[in-house]
């Protein structure tokens, strides 16, 4: 590390230790006050078990930062998608590109994460599959920093692992009806239990949604069903089979407006472009996706030492996308794109694409729990394989011009034909070993992995072959007072398939992403398991970075440095739930020395829910605030910082739960991003939903 950064690293850690120690005393005093006024009730335990560790290990035992978002928090905050659910997670810039039906955008430690579903990679290429619905999930796990030892294809910034709901032996059923802003109508069902008195458990999760969005002439529709069946073959052996079908019908509601008219007032004294303005063409614009998936989960305990877990999934998905976005006509003397014609119209690029993917993924691991004298081991030996076949058939052409203030729509483009893309086959095999070692109050985590990847492009004789050895090592000391300082070093290796550039239509080859991270941190867990705090500082070096843009696809390839400080505190009193986060980070392109695009250097958030007792028992209210610092787009644009508020209220009456939630409570107009291409995107305006659910 550079000397100045090392000083910052150590100084921030000492400050974090002081803060957590101080917070502990404050919280203890608060507990005493709360205990004096509450008549009954027990402190709630905070969930610290993440399946993404691939071991039965609490996150408080891991020498790196992990956040868990459970289904209760997803429900309370009215999260309509994954990026909503991550808005109160430290180190995560969620919704980096605002309102966008195509994907759930986020950055972890200034790096685009790798998405996993039940421990297997979910996304390959871009915009070719459905967005996971939060209602199908038990929890979302965010592992921060490189995790290639366990996952192979892992981003330098971290991974998001989504855990699906699976059959439970205790019967539970729910019917949920929702209505809200933009004519939103939704109904969902979640039912699980044992089939008669047999060895089979079932679960069915289903949802149907019909809605519009804040943008005119756009829709947001979904149909999904997620049935699963568990066969309890023996007391120590289980097999779960799961199917998934999802169909989404939507539009390109990220409108790619000119910066002049969103970030600042428009030309000729015009104000801002309305947030509901539609910039494409009706009866042509669309983003429709469909997915079929089949998964299997097998676990078997051989003896008291050895157990086996095996997961596999096949996914077939396709997407059809027609969209339009602004096209600059030149640059001014300061290098800013010129977007407007003399008559006040803006030129548009029209794009059409049909994309598909077929993915096979599997992960088999052997878990060993044993001791060697005074040393306890939880060892993991496994291998995973994955193969993905993707193809993009695309067309790019002239979309005509449109006045964003007084639009006169011209109709769908005609006479175009998609160009058949090249089929890309990506495959990878990984062998990994990890050992969690406990010696009295010391925990040591050490892992090593070897990966072989191959990328074959149709019509190209040479195939890309890469291999890498990655490792991770970390140590943690557990004090009796609940404080656990830790230090870790980890590496990442992520092969990247060629992608089609959305400006040129060309297939661009990409070298594997490689990265390393040093992390120094402190965790605290109370004896009652109702307080959890993590403070960490880290330094990341990433090579072969491809900077993503919502418009131009790929902007550059190079090396970056990222440093940051994160603080996350979770507290559950009898009546109050609290989550508070602070993120400070510095990003730098090592070639230019400039801040990375789309990455805020400061983020902070607080969410609190109060559960009434006594005569108001059953009433719950929640309020949250989130601050996102300014972002840049090269030397051209600076997107201002924003502070937004969210709220919820619910009432539990027997089996019924009635609730309402609001995102962006004060209906603030925000610009989520601006790109060097000259376009900007709005964030979500006020969105309110009302809910009624019946559990039995």
């Amino acid at each position: 590390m550079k000397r100045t950064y090392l000083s910052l690293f150590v100084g921030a850690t000492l400050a974090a230790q002081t803060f957590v120690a101080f917070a502990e005393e404050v919280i203890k005093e608060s507990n005493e006050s709360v205990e004096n006024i509450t008549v009954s009730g027990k402190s709630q335990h905070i969930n610290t078990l993440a399946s993404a560790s691939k071991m039965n290990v609490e996150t408080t035992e891991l020498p790196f930062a992990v956040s868990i978002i459970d289904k209760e928090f997803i429900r309370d905050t009215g999260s309509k998608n994954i990026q909503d659910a991550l808005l109160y997670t430290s180190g995560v810039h969620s919704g980096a590109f605002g309102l966008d039906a195509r994907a759930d955008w986020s950055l972890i430690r200034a790096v685009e994460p790798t998405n996993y579903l039940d421990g297997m990679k979910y996304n390959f290429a871009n915009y070719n599959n459905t967005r996971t619905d939060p209602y199908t999930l038990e929890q979302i796990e965010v592992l921060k920093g490189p995790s290639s030892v366990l996952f192979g294809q892992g981003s330098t910034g971290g991974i998001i692992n989504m855990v699906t709901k699976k059959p439970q032996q205790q019967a539970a059923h729910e019917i949920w009806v929702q209505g809200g802003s933009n004519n939103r109508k939704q109904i969902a069902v979640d039912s699980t239990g044992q089939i008669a008195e047999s060895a089979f458990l079932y679960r069915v999760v289903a949802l149907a949604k019909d809605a519009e969005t804040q943008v005119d002439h756009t829709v947001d529709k979904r149909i999904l069903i997620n049935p699963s069946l568990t066969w309890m073959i023996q007391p120590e052996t289980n097999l779960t089979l799961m199917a998934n079908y999802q169909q989404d019908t939507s539009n390109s509601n990220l409108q790619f407006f000119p910066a002049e008219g969103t970030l600042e007032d428009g030309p000729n004294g015009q104000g801002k472009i309305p947030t509901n303005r539609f910039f494409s063409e009706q009866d042509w614009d669309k983003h429709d996706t469909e997915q079929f998936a089949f998964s299997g989960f097998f676990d078997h305990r051989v003896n008291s030492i050895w157990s086996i877990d095996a997961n596999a999934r096949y996914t077939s998905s396709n997407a059809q996308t027609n969209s339009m976005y602004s096209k600059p006509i030149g640059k001014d003397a300061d290098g800013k794109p010129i977007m407007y014609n003399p008559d006040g119209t803006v030129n548009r690029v029209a794009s059409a694409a049909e994309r598909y993917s077929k993915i096979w993924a599997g992960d088999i691991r052997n878990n060993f729990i044993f001791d060697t004298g005074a040393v306890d081991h939880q060892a993991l030996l496994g291998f995973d394989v994955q193969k993905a076949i993707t193809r993009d058939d695309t067309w790019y052409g002239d979309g005509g011009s449109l006045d964003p203030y007084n639009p006169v729509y011209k109709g769908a483009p005609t006479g175009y034909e998609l160009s058949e893309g090249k089929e890309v086959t990506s495959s990878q095999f990984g062998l990994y070993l990890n050992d969690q070692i406990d010696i009295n109050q010391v925990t040591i985590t050490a892992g090593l992995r070897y990966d072989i990847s191959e990328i074959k492009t149709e019509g190209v004789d040479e195939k890309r072959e890469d291999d890498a050895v990655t490792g991770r090592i970390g140590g943690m000391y557990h004090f009796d007072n609940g404080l656990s300082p830790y230090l870790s070093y980890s590496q990442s290796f992520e092969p990247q398939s060629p992608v089609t550039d959305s400006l040129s239509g060309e297939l661009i080859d990409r070298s594997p992403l490689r990265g390393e991270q040093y992390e120094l941190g402190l965790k605290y867990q109370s004896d009652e398991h109702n307080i959890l705090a993590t403070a960490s500082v880290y330094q990341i070096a990433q090579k072969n970075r491809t900077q993503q843009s919502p418009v131009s696809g790929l902007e550059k390839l190079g090396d970056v440095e990222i440093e940051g400080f994160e603080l996350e505190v979770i507290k559950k009193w009898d009546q109050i739930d609290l989550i508070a986060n602070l993120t400070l980070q510095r990003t730098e392109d090592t070639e230019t020395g400039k801040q990375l695009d789309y990455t805020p250097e400061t983020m902070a958030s607080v969410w609190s829910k109060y559960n009434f007792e006594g005569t108001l028992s059953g009433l719950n209210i929640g309020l949250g605030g989130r601050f996102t610092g300014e972002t840049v787009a090269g030397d051209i644009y600076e997107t201002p910082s924003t502070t937004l508020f969210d709220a919820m209220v619910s009432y539990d009456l027997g089996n019924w739960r009635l609730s309402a939630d609001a995102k962006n409570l004060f209906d603030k107009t925000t610009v989520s991003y601006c790109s060097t291409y000259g376009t900007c995107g709005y964030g979500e305006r006020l969105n309110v939903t009302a809910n009624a659910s019946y559990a039995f």
Side-chain angles (χ1 to χ4, degrees):
M1 294 184 190
K2 297 178 181 179
R3 184 175 299 175
T4 54
Y5 300 154
L6 180 60
S7 300
L8 174 64
F9 193 87
V10 175
T13 302
L14 293 175
Q17 293 181 20
T18 303
F19 179 88
V20 173
F22 173 74
E24 178 188 7
E25 294 302 318
V26 173
I27 291 172
K28 283 182 178 178
E29 293 178 5
S30 300
N31 272 340
E32 293 175 0
S33 300
V34 172
E35 288 171 359
N36 288 335
I37 63 173
T38 54
V39 178
S40 63
K42 297 181 180 179
S43 298
Q44 303 174 56
H45 284 206
I46 298 170
N47 178 24
T48 57
L49 189 61
S51 63
S53 68
K54 294 193 175 182
M55 300 179 293
N56 189 28
V57 175
E58 304 286 334
T59 60
T60 50
E61 303 287 324
L62 300 173
F64 50 90
V66 180
S67 295
I68 298 176
I69 301 94
D70 60 27
K71 62 183 180 182
E72 179 183 359
F73 180 83
I74 293 172
R75 179 195 63 182
D76 286 344
T77 55
S79 299
K80 301 180 294 298
N81 46 55
I82 301 302
Q83 68 182 34
D84 276 357
L86 298 175
L87 288 172
Y88 290 89
T89 305
S90 67
V92 179
H93 177 31
S94 192
F97 298 119
L99 191 69
D100 190 353
R102 300 171 302 168
D104 290 296
W105 294 101
S106 63
L107 299 172
I108 301 177
R109 295 184 173 178
V111 182
E112 188 176 2
T114 309
N115 294 321
Y116 281 76
L117 183 67
D118 294 317
M120 293 173 283
K121 189 174 179 182
Y122 183 66
N123 296 103
F124 289 81
N126 294 318
Y127 314 131
N128 58 15
N129 64 346
T130 59
R131 300 171 71 184
T132 302
D133 195 289
Y135 191 67
T136 65
L137 302 179
E138 195 70 35
Q139 63 185 35
I140 302 171
E141 304 163 350
V142 180
L143 277 67
K144 302 166 191 177
S147 299
S148 283
V149 166
L150 296 180
F151 290 93
Q153 293 199 27
S155 160
T156 306
I159 72 163
I160 295 173
N161 183 51
M162 301 169 286
V163 182
T164 54
K165 294 176 178 177
K166 297 180 178 65
Q168 303 295 311
Q169 192 160 7
Q170 183 174 354
H173 318 282
E174 179 185 64
I175 300 175
W176 172 35
V177 178
Q178 183 184 76
S181 300
N182 305 311
N183 294 317
R184 185 181 183 90
K185 300 174 286 292
Q186 179 174 292
I187 184 169
V189 175
D190 181 5
S191 178
T192 187
Q194 187 173 7
I195 301 177
E197 297 182 358
S198 69
F200 293 93
L201 312 177
Y202 79 93
R203 190 159 196 165
V204 176
V205 180
L207 181 146
K209 175 179 63 176
D210 184 357
E212 299 169 358
T213 81
Q214 72 182 38
V215 178
D216 293 340
H217 314 301
T218 61
V219 299
D220 179 18
K221 300 180 180 182
R222 172 169 295 163
I223 295 175
L224 76 82
I225 183 167
N226 203 58
S228 54
L229 181 71
T230 294
W231 179 18
M232 299 180 293
I233 303 172
Q234 295 176 351
E236 302 292 343
T237 307
N238 298 285
L239 173 65
T240 298
L241 300 177
M242 178 182 294
N244 170 269
Y245 173 76
Q246 183 171 326
Q247 182 185 70
D248 290 353
T249 303
S250 59
N251 301 90
S252 52
N253 51 6
L254 179 59
Q255 294 299 293
F256 308 114
F257 290 129
E260 191 178 6
T262 49
L263 195 61
E264 57 193 46
D265 285 343
N268 304 320
Q270 293 172 300
K272 302 291 180 63
I273 300 171
T275 56
N276 65 328
R277 179 68 72 236
F278 181 64
F279 201 65
S280 187
E281 291 291 337
Q282 305 172 46
D283 301 324
W284 181 74
D285 185 280
K286 63 181 176 180
H287 179 68
D288 300 339
T289 58
E290 186 177 39
Q291 174 180 286
F292 296 88
F294 303 93
S295 305
F297 309 92
F298 176 79
D299 62 89
H300 172 63
R301 174 163 293 282
V302 180
N303 51 43
S304 60
I305 296 175
W306 178 23
S307 62
I308 300 172
D309 292 283
N311 302 334
R313 181 170 62 239
Y314 167 74
T315 305
S316 175
S317 60
N318 61 80
Q320 295 182 328
T321 306
N322 294 345
S323 65
M324 291 187 179
Y325 46 90
S326 307
K327 178 183 179 181
I329 59 175
K331 292 186 178 180
D332 64 17
D334 297 325
K336 285 189 175 181
I338 300 173
M339 306 299 293
Y340 289 88
N341 296 309
D343 62 357
T345 62
V346 176
N347 292 341
R348 298 177 299 178
V349 174
S351 68
E354 292 183 3
R355 302 180 172 96
Y356 78 82
S357 66
K358 296 182 184 297
I359 303 168
W360 296 263
D363 180 23
I364 300 176
R365 55 188 182 270
N366 297 273
N367 293 276
F368 302 93
I369 301 177
F370 61 96
D371 61 77
T372 53
V375 181
D376 296 329
H377 297 264
Q378 187 166 174
L380 183 67
L381 175 63
F383 68 89
D384 53 36
V385 294
Q386 53 194 18
K387 180 179 179 180
I389 299 174
T390 62
R391 194 182 81 192
D392 295 355
D393 298 338
T394 58
W395 171 81
Y396 299 89
D398 182 12
S401 60
L402 189 75
D403 184 341
Y405 292 92
N406 297 289
V408 178
Y409 299 107
K410 301 176 176 63
T414 58
Y416 68 89
E417 184 176 347
L418 297 180
S419 297
E420 186 172 307
K422 296 182 182 296
E423 192 171 82
V424 177
T425 303
S426 307
S427 58
Q428 183 178 2
F429 170 82
L431 179 66
Y432 56 90
L433 173 66
N434 194 78
D435 195 4
Q436 184 91 356
I437 303 168
D438 290 307
I439 311 171
N440 296 322
Q441 292 176 282
V442 176
T443 297
I444 298 173
T445 299
L448 199 64
R449 181 186 179 97
Y450 177 65
D451 278 295
I452 301 173
S453 74
E454 178 183 288
I455 300 176
K456 174 67 176 175
T457 302
E458 181 184 10
V460 178
D461 293 335
E462 294 184 5
K463 56 187 176 183
R464 182 178 191 96
E465 296 179 311
D466 295 284
D467 66 316
V469 175
T470 52
R472 178 171 64 194
I473 186 166
M476 174 181 280
Y477 186 84
H478 305 280
F479 287 100
D480 293 336
N481 62 1
L483 291 171
S484 300
Y486 67 88
L487 174 66
S488 63
Y489 169 78
S490 54
Q491 298 172 314
S492 66
F493 167 74
E494 185 178 9
Q496 301 187 97
S497 301
V499 296
T500 302
D501 186 84
S502 59
L503 288 181
S504 64
E506 295 179 357
L507 197 69
I508 299 177
D509 188 25
R510 299 186 291 174
S511 301
L513 278 168
R514 296 177 184 269
E516 62 178 10
Q517 174 188 266
Y518 296 90
E519 181 174 344
L520 180 61
L522 181 70
K523 296 187 179 184
Y524 172 77
Q525 184 179 43
S526 64
D527 292 338
E528 299 82 6
H529 289 201
N530 62 348
I531 307 171
L532 179 65
T534 302
S536 62
V537 284
Y538 57 87
Q539 184 181 54
I540 292 173
Q542 186 184 33
K543 297 183 181 296
N544 304 324
R545 178 187 176 101
T546 302
Q547 181 73 43
Q548 288 282 358
S549 163
V551 182
S552 58
L554 304 176
E555 293 188 338
K556 59 184 178 181
L557 189 69
D559 301 343
V560 302
E561 290 182 354
I562 304 164
E563 293 180 337
F565 166 73
E566 294 170 2
L567 176 65
E568 181 172 272
V569 179
I570 304 174
K571 175 69 178 81
K572 288 181 178 288
W573 285 279
D574 284 334
Q575 292 177 262
I576 302 174
D577 295 348
L578 175 70
I579 299 176
N581 298 294
L582 173 64
T583 300
L584 305 174
Q585 59 187 13
R586 185 194 67 82
T587 65
E588 179 182 295
D589 184 317
T590 56
E591 182 178 344
T592 64
K594 297 176 181 177
Q595 178 182 340
L596 297 179
D597 293 349
Y598 320 121
T599 58
E601 294 194 332
T602 305
M603 294 180 289
S605 64
V606 177
W607 171 265
S608 181
K609 186 181 74 169
Y610 186 81
N611 310 303
F612 286 87
E613 291 191 346
T615 56
L616 295 177
S617 179
L619 178 64
N620 311 281
I621 59 173
L623 181 65
R626 40 192 169 93
F627 170 82
T628 303
E630 62 187 29
T631 62
V632 300
D635 292 326
I636 303 176
Y637 301 110
E638 186 177 286
T639 304
S641 61
T642 60
T643 301
L644 301 176
F645 294 91
D646 309 314
M648 66 81 68
V649 60
S650 67
Y651 186 70
D652 298 315
L653 181 63
N655 294 350
W656 286 94
R657 178 184 174 88
L658 306 176
S659 66
D661 52 76
K663 280 279 189 295
N664 191 356
L665 181 62
F666 299 109
D667 196 21
K668 185 175 181 179
T669 298
T670 61
V671 178
S672 293
Y673 85 97
C674 288
S675 75
T676 55
Y677 190 63
T679 64
C680 299
Y682 284 121
E684 187 176 33
R685 297 283 299 273
L686 170 66
N687 192 292
V688 179
T689 60
N691 309 271
S693 61
Y694 182 76
F696 57 100

